[in-house]
Amino acid sequence: MSAEATNPEAHPEARPELRRRGRSRIDLRRLGRAALLGPTSRDRLPDAIGHVAEAHRAHHPDADMSILRRAYLLAESSHRGQMRKSGEPYITHPLAVTLILAELGAETTTLTASLLHDTVEDTDVTLDQVRAEFGDEVCFIVDGVTKVEKIDYGAAAEPETFRKMLVATGNDVRVMSIKLADRLHNMRTLGVMRPEKQARIAKVTRDVLIPLAERLGVQALKTELEDLVFAILHPEEYESTRALIAAHAGERDPLPGIADSVRTVLREAGISAEVQVRPRHFVSVHRIARQRGELRGSDFGRILVLVGENADCYGVLGELHTCFTPVVSEFKDFIATPKFNLYQSLHTAVATPEGYVAEVIVRTRQMHRVAEAGVVALGNPYATATPDATTDPDEERVDPTRPGWLSRLLDWQQSAPDPDTFWTVLRAELAQDREITVFRADGGTLGLPAGASCIDAAYAQHGEAAHGCIGARVNGRLTSLSSALSDGDTVQLLLAQDASSGPAAEWLDHARTPAARIAISSWLEAHPDRAMAPTTAARAPLSVVGARGGGANAVADLPDATVRLAGCCTPVPPDAVAGFLVRGGAVTVHRIHCAAVAQMRAVGRTSVAVHWRATADCRVTLLAESFGRPHLLADLTEAIAHEGVEVVSATVEPPVEGRVRHTYTLQLPDAAGLPALMRAMRDVPGVYDVGRA
């Protein structure tokens, strides 16, 4: 492996904080020698964690360093004599992991647990000792990391490994923060292992840990892990990308000049801002090269503008778009609509008079901290908890900072039927890079992956009760369950009253979330007769014809003429009507506002005066729109009969996307009863609309 891959601190972009503060590169071997010399005097920190203390004070100037000293002394004494495969003293590993987290701004409790994260697993130190010395919080985190570390990382054990990792992460996201930093340091020193083991660890890192880092918003760890995995799994492409970056280093870089122009524009506008040039990391350069082909100088980095307030972000954007030529298609507002991983920024691109196009990111300094460190920047999620919140070590707790996507993963992982299904669905879920929020009819919200359908919303809201979902209203309009949802939609889910209702096999074609797919698959496996039923085979319309026909109760002022009620508008008393003479001497009767009336007059059809008979009975054709379910036709017919109405004929069309259309020709004893009849038909479960044909 190349030097850059084994030690990403060699990347100029990998450690912007180190470069900015002028800190020298850390020599882990020197730290190891310092650790072997034993503890120093009581009045100061051991030299081996001096870098950790310096990085920690940069983010937390008032932090109490005594707890870190005690944690280091316990870790150093318990690991003394242990060596890593690289030949370094083992204490260098927890020191390096803790330094990574300190650079990200982790709070003291996380750093303390990080120093001790291997002691319970690899030494004689017990959890009771950790609790007695450092308290319940540190003990809880160390226990969570230990449970993850104890899992077998063999290829066959990977699903169960990450199932337990998710559970530990859900209880406290600081557990995953330590795990990610632990994996980063292991990846940095992976060169001492056999190539096949390097490849296996790199694949697991690529498939699960990098997406988890993305989901938790820890971009600083994610980008370095990406470069390390890239170097191991794609060495040729990595080398070509490295050569591309090296060649660019010898050319004139236009980005510093563009950054100077941006500084001038903002200074003249009276906006206080810090403007930086941020080089792209290796994987980012590789992606851009594949998208754009030949790269120009401005493609190797981006311009970052840091300001104090949210309003200043939009002020900067206005100045940039005024003084440069904006590339409209590149504008994205992640401040108004933050990403699911807490990320907020304005993204734009501007063209310079020289023809360069520079990508610009605008954010506040707090947004920048969260963008780099994600959940690590949130500090202690239990800092404001009640004093008794964590006194019981066996009590399950839920991290108040737990992201919505993590809650979903924790919900469905309990019902995953087997490790292979869990592993497959986990990777699919982590591959989703965008999340939407939809509003429930009761005012609550649902967080769903982009592309989720009403089926996903149903299972997210109702769990297994969603098996009986028959439809949904999205933004007040009725739609099929397969309809995709958009960010900000309001969804009202309609559930069947029939307990025997269940999902159709084609629901799996539209389900995107693991919870929905697992629940549907489990139900279909438990009901094989329903799963195997043909759902898409073409069927002829079902027709039911009543015992007698009955004539129309409209009379035309034309002797011996046959009168027909038009099927397009099905007029009934007391509708205002118009009659027209058609072929065969028949007279068709339309409602006066029917569109066919104008057409009849336009083609010169003879108008015939018509009126209603004195009798109150009438014939009408109604269309009932419904969601398909067993016994629906019987229930509708019963509702019609209960109103004292006779069915002359009925036609049921084949289902389309789970929806069924029923056409009924009915003989009413009194036209005044038509509104009540239509209400009764609408009240039948599964029916969502009834109207005249």
Side-chain angles (χ1 to χ4, degrees), residues 302-307 309-321 330-339 343-349 359-364 367-368 371:
R302 293 183 289 188
I303 293 176
L304 174 65
V305 181
L306 299 178
V307 294
E309 303 293 338
N310 287 18
D312 293 335
C313 295
Y314 293 97
V316 170
L317 184 70
E319 293 298 325
L320 291 177
H321 285 189
E330 295 294 323
F331 173 68
K332 298 180 181 67
D333 188 345
F334 294 118
I335 295 179
T337 56
K339 287 186 176 182
Y343 181 86
Q344 288 184 287
S345 291
L346 296 178
H347 287 213
T348 189
E359 295 184 33
V360 184
I361 300 173
V362 185
R363 59 175 70 135
T364 66
M367 290 176 190
H368 180 60

Side-chain angles (χ1 to χ4, degrees), residues 441-522:
D442 60 6
T445 61
L446 296 173
L448 299 169
S453 66
C454 295
I455 294 172
D456 299 303
Y459 283 95
Q461 180 172 349
H462 297 292
E464 291 189 356
H467 291 331
C469 194
I470 57 176
R473 293 182 183 273
V474 177
N475 302 327
R477 300 185 63 182
L478 208 68
T479 186
S480 65
L481 287 174
S482 62
S483 298
L485 296 169
S486 300
D487 197 40
D489 282 347
T490 298
V491 59
Q492 177 186 2
L493 300 160
L494 310 176
L495 301 182
Q497 304 300 317
D498 187 356
S500 65
S501 297
E506 60 263 27
W507 284 19
L508 289 172
D509 297 333
H510 307 288
R512 296 290 179 268
T513 59
R517 296 188 63 81
I518 290 174
I520 295 168
S521 298
S522 299

Side-chain angles (χ1 to χ4, degrees), residues 71-83:
Y72 168 76
L73 292 178
L74 177 59
E76 187 277 328
S77 62
S78 60
H79 286 299
R80 189 175 296 168
Q82 296 178 352
M83 308 295 286

Side-chain angles (χ1 to χ4, degrees), residues 232-243:
I232 294 171
L233 298 182
H234 306 282
E236 294 182 0
E237 294 179 351
Y238 176 83
E239 286 299 329
S240 64
T241 304
R242 187 178 64 83

Side-chain angles (χ1 to χ4, degrees), residues 553 572-574 615-620 643-645 667-677:
N553 56 345
V572 297
T615 179
D617 69 328
C618 68
R619 179 175 295 187
V620 64
E643 296 296 317
V645 176
Q667 189 72 30
L668 279 69
D670 189 342
L674 181 59
L677 169 65

